[in-house]
């Protein structure tokens, strides 16, 4: 058999450590991917279904309705909004638009497992900065890594996989001190779950800094992970144009666009889901405390904690899986001996806690 000759780029690219479980029976508690345990609202499902009859036509490549709805919701001008096939699509496009060999990308670690891909895809150099002792971004240390070669800095707030958040004023001070040629990508996939600040506080940064991109998604609080739609709110139009240049024209399908527009109309449901997640957070954290486990301070829809002994990790993950609970092992996410567990429904959370008690 002849061997295929893949590009240097492909040889550099890491494989995304996807969670398992997609082919498991229905009664498994899927607490491995930080999705919403609740399906989309019936009105959102109907909106997606209504447009399927017109699926012989390409979707609107300008995503005009969705951008207008987001402009109404956020106050950011629609010309400064980039839609994506999930916010990861916008993130990867930022990398393509900004990075190349010789350029540098700075991000914290452990953080989102897609970030190593951003650097590898472009041949840029990734500079990773360890989190502080409380599993939070160390912004001072990150600022020290910025050089003339830096094109992009990513701040994941709240951070995946550690669930921690920084106050918005610390982020604002960090952004204000950066050279203006450096694009700051603020990945706010979990911002709605953060109760430290109003979730929209950071939008002010866009008024002052043309080099800021705020990434948000319909995959988490809105419960639309399966439809793939996210967006970037940009400090300037230049960035939106560059993001469109590097991508195929029809990146966001008709059902995703329609569902997202409808989902934005139901902010009361968003508030309910935030409340459910906060209740789950308090319950799971106090049950973990009862087991002598002290998780990182979560401002997200998941918890992150070290097991009593790092060597237990594989057995604990398998033990939980045998009891019908899927979680993420820390080793795949940058810290051996840790677990990341998404909050599910109250009964799924109880099942996780029972299983963990049994396994430990
Ligand atoms: C889940 C997640 C996203 C969202 O990805 P989509 O492509 O919008 O589904 C982005 N960033 C982080 C840190 C995440 O955990």
């Amino acid at each position: 058999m002849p061997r295929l000759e893949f590009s240097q780029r492909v040889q550099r690219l890491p494989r995304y450590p996807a969670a398992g479980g997609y082919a498991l029976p229905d009664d498994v508690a899927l607490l491995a991917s930080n999705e919403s345990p609740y399906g989309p609202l019936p009105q959102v499902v109907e909106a997606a279904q209504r447009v399927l009859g017109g699926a012989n036509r390409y979707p609107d490549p300008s995503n005009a309705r969705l951008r207008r709805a987001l402009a109404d919701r956020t106050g950011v001008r629609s010309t400064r909004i980039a839609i994506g096939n999930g916010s990861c699509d916008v993130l990867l496009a930022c990398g393509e638009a900004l990075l190349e060999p010789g350029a540098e990308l700075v991000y914290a670690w452990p953080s989102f497992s897609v970030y190593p891909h951003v650097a590898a895809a472009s041949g840029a150099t990734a500079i990773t900065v360890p989190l502080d002792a409380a599993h939070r971004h160390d912004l001072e240390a990150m600022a020290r890594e910025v050089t003339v070669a830096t094109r992009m800095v990513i701040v994941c707030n709240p951070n995946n996989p550690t669930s921690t958040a920084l106050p918005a004023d610390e982020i604002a001070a960090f952004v204000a001190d950066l050279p203006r040629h450096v694009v700051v990508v603020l990945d706010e996939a979990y911002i709605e779950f953060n109760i430290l600040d109003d979730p929209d506080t950071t939008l002010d940064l866009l008024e002052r800094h043309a080099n800021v991109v705020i990434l948000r998604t319909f995959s988490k609080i809105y419960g639309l992970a399966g439809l793939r739609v996210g967006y970037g709110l940009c400090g300037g139009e230049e960035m939106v144009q560059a993001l469109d240049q590097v991508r195929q024209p029809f990146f966001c399908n008709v059902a995703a666009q329609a569902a997202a527009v409808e989902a934005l109309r139901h902010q009361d449901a968003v508030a309910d889901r935030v409340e459910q997640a906060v209740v789950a957070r308090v319950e799971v954290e106090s049950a973990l405390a009862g087991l002598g486990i002290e998780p990182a301070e979560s401002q997200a829809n998941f918890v992150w904690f070290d097991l009593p002994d790092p060597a237990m990790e594989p057995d604990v993950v398998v033990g939980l899986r045998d009891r019908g609970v899927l979680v993420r092992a820390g080793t795949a996410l940058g810290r051996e001996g840790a677990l990341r567990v998404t909050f599910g429904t109250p009964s799924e959370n109880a099942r996780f806690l029972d299983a963990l008690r049994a396994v430990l």
Side-chain angles (χ1 to χ4, degrees):
M1 286 267 283
R3 296 199 44 203
L4 307 181
E5 288 189 23
F6 291 105
S7 63
Q8 292 283 320
R9 179 170 183 261
V10 164
Q11 295 176 35
R12 275 195 311 263
L13 285 171
R15 282 170 201 270
Y16 178 74
Y22 295 99
L24 289 175
D26 282 350
D27 67 340
V28 171
L30 298 173
L31 308 182
S33 296
N34 295 348
E35 299 143 338
S36 171
Y38 306 107
L41 297 174
Q43 300 93 315
V44 172
V45 174
E46 277 161 33
Q49 279 168 343
R50 264 198 309 274
V51 295
L52 288 180
N56 54 312
R57 303 291 175 195
Y58 282 108
D60 168 15
S62 73
N63 299 280
R65 281 184 65 222
L66 177 53
R67 283 167 52 237
R68 210 176 315 121
L70 284 167
D72 289 345
R73 158 69 198 89
T74 61
V76 176
R77 249 171 287 161
S78 65
T79 49
R80 292 185 178 186
I81 301 176
I83 305 300
N85 185 4
S87 60
C88 287
D89 181 39
V90 183
L91 171 70
L92 291 169
C94 287
E96 253 189 90
L98 296 164
L99 301 176
E100 57 200 340
E104 293 177 3
L105 163 67
V106 178
Y107 56 89
W109 199 254
S111 194
F112 189 31
S113 32
V114 171
Y115 304 156
H117 192 106
V118 176
S122 63
T125 304
I127 312 284
T128 55
V129 178
L131 300 175
D132 69 13
H135 311 275
R136 298 184 317 174
H137 281 56
D138 182 345
L139 293 181
E140 275 176 33
M142 290 177 75
R144 281 197 296 274
E145 296 298 337
V146 172
T147 70
V148 286
T150 310
R151 293 266 179 85
M152 182 170 164
V153 175
I154 309 175
V155 175
C156 187
N157 198 58
N159 187 43
N160 178 9
T162 64
S163 76
T164 52
L166 292 176
D169 55 358
E170 284 183 33
I171 290 174
F174 172 76
V175 170
D177 282 348
L178 282 179
R180 273 187 279 179
H181 74 274
V182 177
V183 170
V184 190
V185 174
L186 254 186
D187 187 342
E188 296 191 337
Y190 302 98
I191 198 69
E192 295 87 353
F193 300 103
N194 174 18
I195 53 171
L196 290 181
D197 288 295
D198 181 290
D200 288 337
T201 306
T202 44
L203 298 182
D204 289 350
L205 294 173
L206 301 171
E207 299 301 319
R208 299 196 295 277
H209 305 288
N211 57 331
V212 171
V213 177
I214 295 178
L215 295 182
R216 294 194 176 176
T217 181
F218 288 91
S219 298
K220 306 285 156 62
I221 190 77
Y222 288 99
L224 293 174
L227 280 182
R228 314 302 304 123
V229 51
Y231 55 101
L233 304 169
C234 303
E237 292 175 19
E238 237 183 337
M239 193 67 205
V240 177
Q241 285 157 11
L243 294 173
D244 283 343
Q245 265 176 293
V246 299
R247 293 183 294 169
Q248 56 147 331
F250 304 106
F251 48 73
C252 189
N253 71 72
V254 281
Q257 291 187 35
V261 168
E262 183 62 30
L264 286 171
R265 296 204 177 106
H266 302 277
Q267 293 301 315
D268 47 339
V270 170
D272 288 346
R273 287 174 180 202
V274 170
E275 201 177 305
Q276 285 164 323
V278 173
V279 169
R281 194 146 87 195
V282 172
E283 284 175 3
V284 171
E285 282 173 357
S286 77
L288 289 174
L291 291 170
I293 290 170
E294 198 185 324
E297 193 189 322
S298 176
Q299 293 294 337
N301 63 340
F302 57 93
V303 273
W304 173 255
F305 56 89
D306 287 328
L307 291 165
D309 171 4
M312 301 167 83
E313 183 195 293
D315 289 342
V316 171
V317 171
V318 170
L320 292 174
R321 195 184 59 201
D322 290 347
R323 288 164 178 80
V325 179
L326 279 196
V327 304
R328 287 311 297 273
T331 298
L333 305 176
R335 186 176 171 98
E336 192 198 351
L339 288 190
R340 190 193 71 190
V341 184
T342 311
F343 303 130
T345 60
S347 71
E348 288 172 329
N349 298 335
R351 185 166 174 189
F352 155 64
L353 291 165
D354 287 344
L356 186 67
R357 270 182 216 107
V359 172
L360 290 180

